Amino acid sequence: MKPVFDSSAIRFDILRQRAYNLRWAEQEEGVIPLTAADMDFPCAPEIVKAVTDYAQAGYFSYAPKMGFPEFKKSISRMLNEKKKEPIPPELILPIDSAARAMSVIAKAVLKPGDEAIVCDPVDYLFKTSMEAAGAKIVLFPMEIRDGAIDFSRLEQYITPKTKMFGLCNPHNPLGMCYPLKDLDHILKLSEKYGFYIMNDEIWSDIIYSDAQFHSILELGAARNARTLSVFGFSKSYGLAGLRVGCLYAASPELFARAAEASQADSTIGGISSLSQAAGIACLDQCGYWLDAFLKHLEGNRDYALKRLNSMPGIRCRKPDATFVLFPDISSLPMTALEFTEFARKEYKVAVVPGGETFFGPGSEGHIRICLATSREVLAEGLNRLERAVLAVSR
C-alpha cells in the first residue's frame, strides 16, 4: 500500500494524548505545534507488525547484552550501503536512543577539567552530555560564508585541554550537510591535536534530492580512530517513544571504551527487545516508506520556504537535510522567545525559539519550525505565523 502523508493519515486524538515534548499533548486546545522534531504521522505498518508479533509470543526475556545480532547486521548493512561507512556488526552497540548514545560517548572519553568544543548554534544535547561528563564547553561560532559553514578559524579554539569536538552532520538546526573538504579539515585537526569526535548522524536519513550527504567516516577507518558515531530512528521512522538508536566506532579499542561506559554488559544499560524488533523492521522492510516520506518533506520544505521568505522581516535558507527550518527573525521588534510566546498565545501556533536553552546563544534571532506534518496543518500553521509576523511588524 502506498504511504499517505496528508491529514487523513493523522490521528489527532492520539497525538493529543501521546505527543509530548512541546507537541500536541502539551499545548492548549487549538494550538498548532510546529515544534519538536517529531512527526505527526503514524509509523510504517511493518514496524507495528514487528512489535506486535514479538509481543504476541508473550515472552519478554533478557535480550543479548550487546544487542540482537540480526539488528547489528541490519545496521552494519545500512551504514555501508547508504553512507559508505564500513562498520562491522561487532563495532555497533544498539542503545536506548541517540541522546543516550551521546551521553555514553561523552562519559567514555571526557573527564572533569577537559575542554569540549561545541558548535554554536547546535542541538543542546551536545552541551548537556559533555557538561554532564565534567567538561568545560568552548563554543565555536558557526558562520556561513559562500553557502557553507566556515571552519577556517576552528583551530583557534583548540587548547591543550581540548578533548572532544561535537560534529552534528547533517546540522540541526541549520539543515546543512558538510562537504568532504570540511570533514577532512576537522579530521586533520583531530589527528594533529589528538581530540575525539562525537559524530552525530541522526539526521543522515533525511537528505533532500538537491543535496548530498558525506560522512566523516568516508575518509577511512584508520583516520577515524578517535571518532565515535551516533545514529537513531526517531526522525526518519517516527520511533521517538521507543528510544531506539545505536553508537558505533571504526576502532575496536575505542568501541570497547564506549561499550563499557554504556553499562550494557552489566544489564544496567541496554535497549529494549521491542525497540530492536522495530529497528530491524525499519531497516529491512521500510525503505519504500522512508522514500515516500522524504518526497513529502521536500514538498513541504519548498512550500514553507516560499511562504516564509514572502513574510516581512523573515529570511530563511533552504536546508539540505532535516525536516526543520531555521528562519532569521532578527529584524522583528521582539526577541525569539518573546515572539514565540506572542504567536502561541495570540495566534495559536507554536514554534521553537532560538537562544541559549535549545541551540546556544548564536541562535538568538531565529526560530525553528518542524515540517513533519501534513501540508494542510503546515499551511494553517504558517497562516497563523504570518498573521503574528504582520501584527508585530506594524
Side-chain angles (χ1 to χ4, degrees):
M1 183 182 296
K2 184 178 180 180
V4 175
F5 295 105
D6 60 30
S7 289
S8 70
I10 300 175
R11 288 289 303 275
F12 293 100
D13 56 332
I14 294 179
L15 287 174
R16 291 187 183 98
Q17 296 173 26
R18 300 184 185 180
Y20 286 85
N21 194 22
L22 304 178
R23 290 183 9 83
W24 297 91
E26 292 184 358
Q27 301 293 343
E28 296 176 2
E29 184 69 29
V31 173
I32 292 177
L34 305 177
T35 47
D38 194 11
M39 67 179 68
D40 284 348
F41 303 105
C43 68
E46 291 85 355
I47 299 171
V48 177
K49 185 177 187 302
V51 173
T52 303
D53 287 351
Y54 190 97
Q56 281 182 339
Y59 285 89
F60 299 95
S61 305
Y62 287 107
K65 295 174 182 177
M66 300 297 286
F68 287 153
E70 58 267 43
F71 188 28
K72 296 163 73 165
K73 288 178 182 177
S74 291
I75 296 170
S76 177
R77 186 190 68 248
M78 177 275 293
L79 295 177
N80 185 52
E81 291 178 356
K82 292 189 69 173
K83 302 200 289 178
K84 302 178 184 177
E85 299 178 5
I87 305 295
E90 60 268 23
L91 298 184
I92 296 169
L93 178 67
I95 198 166
D96 56 330
S97 78
R100 167 79 169 139
M102 294 172 76
S103 176
V104 166
I105 288 169
K107 181 181 176 183
V109 170
L110 297 170
K111 62 182 185 299
D114 289 338
E115 292 181 359
I117 298 176
V118 172
C119 295
D120 182 24
V122 79
D123 185 272
Y124 72 96
L125 286 172
F126 283 91
K127 181 174 184 286
T128 300
S129 61
M130 294 173 184
E131 281 185 332
K136 175 187 174 183
I137 302 301
V138 176
L139 294 178
F140 171 68
M142 301 196 88
E143 298 180 4
I144 299 175
R145 294 184 181 176
D146 300 323
I149 296 166
D150 181 8
F151 285 103
S152 64
R153 295 184 301 113
L154 178 59
E155 190 167 10
Q156 300 173 21
Y157 291 79
I158 299 169
T159 77
K161 293 184 178 182
T162 301
K163 195 68 173 288
M164 179 171 279
F165 173 76
L167 177 63
C168 186
N169 183 22
H171 187 278
N172 170 29
L174 298 179
M176 300 179 75
C177 295
Y178 301 88
L180 269 177
K181 66 179 181 62
D182 288 343
L183 298 172
D184 178 67
H185 175 64
I186 293 167
L187 206 48
K188 283 176 178 174
L189 293 176
S190 171
E191 292 167 325
K192 179 178 179 179
Y193 293 100
F195 61 79
Y196 295 83
I197 296 172
M198 180 189 289
N199 175 41
D200 172 18
E201 295 188 359
I202 192 170
W203 286 105
S204 58
D205 265 351
I206 310 294
I207 310 296
Y208 294 114
S209 64
D210 50 9
Q212 185 175 11
F213 172 78
H214 290 288
S215 169
I216 198 167
L217 292 166
E218 288 182 43
L219 296 168
R223 294 189 64 195
N224 278 281
R226 296 184 183 87
T227 301
L228 279 161
S229 298
V230 175
F231 182 74
F233 296 77
S234 60
K235 309 309 177 190
S236 44
Y237 295 100
L239 304 186
L242 282 178
R243 298 188 65 80
V244 51
C246 63
L247 67 81
Y248 52 99
S251 159
E253 294 76 18
L254 187 56
F255 177 78
R257 288 173 62 183
E260 181 181 5
S262 77
Q263 298 184 286
D265 198 46
S266 68
T267 72
I268 293 174
I271 179 175
S272 144
S273 53
L274 285 174
S275 299
Q276 294 184 83
I280 293 168
C282 290
L283 297 176
D284 292 359
Q285 301 178 57
C286 298
Y288 80 97
W289 188 94
L290 180 57
D291 289 344
F293 182 44
L294 280 169
K295 185 175 181 180
H296 170 73
L297 288 175
E298 188 159 338
N300 274 3
R301 177 198 67 168
D302 295 344
Y303 168 77
L305 278 170
K306 185 175 181 180
R307 290 287 311 275
L308 288 165
N309 283 320
S310 69
M311 297 180 193
I314 291 189
R315 293 176 291 115
C316 190
R317 287 186 62 262
K318 181 169 73 171
D320 303 319
T322 80
F323 52 64
V324 297
L325 296 179
F326 199 53
D328 183 340
I329 64 163
S330 57
S331 64
L332 297 180
M334 285 184 173
T335 66
L337 180 60
E338 289 169 342
F339 176 75
T340 57
E341 290 179 345
F342 172 78
R344 180 182 53 81
K345 182 179 179 181
E346 301 297 332
Y347 290 91
K348 302 295 183 183
V349 60
V351 294
V352 179
E356 177 69 36
T357 300
F358 293 111
F359 310 112
S363 65
E364 182 53 66
H366 292 74
I367 56 175
R368 197 186 73 171
I369 298 171
C370 179
L371 302 172
T373 187
S374 68
R375 180 66 58 83
E376 299 93 330
V377 171
L378 178 62
E380 178 56 26
L382 292 175
N383 288 343
R384 298 180 186 190
L385 188 73
E386 184 170 23
R387 290 196 288 270
V389 168
L390 291 173
V392 301
S393 298
R394 293 191 186 108

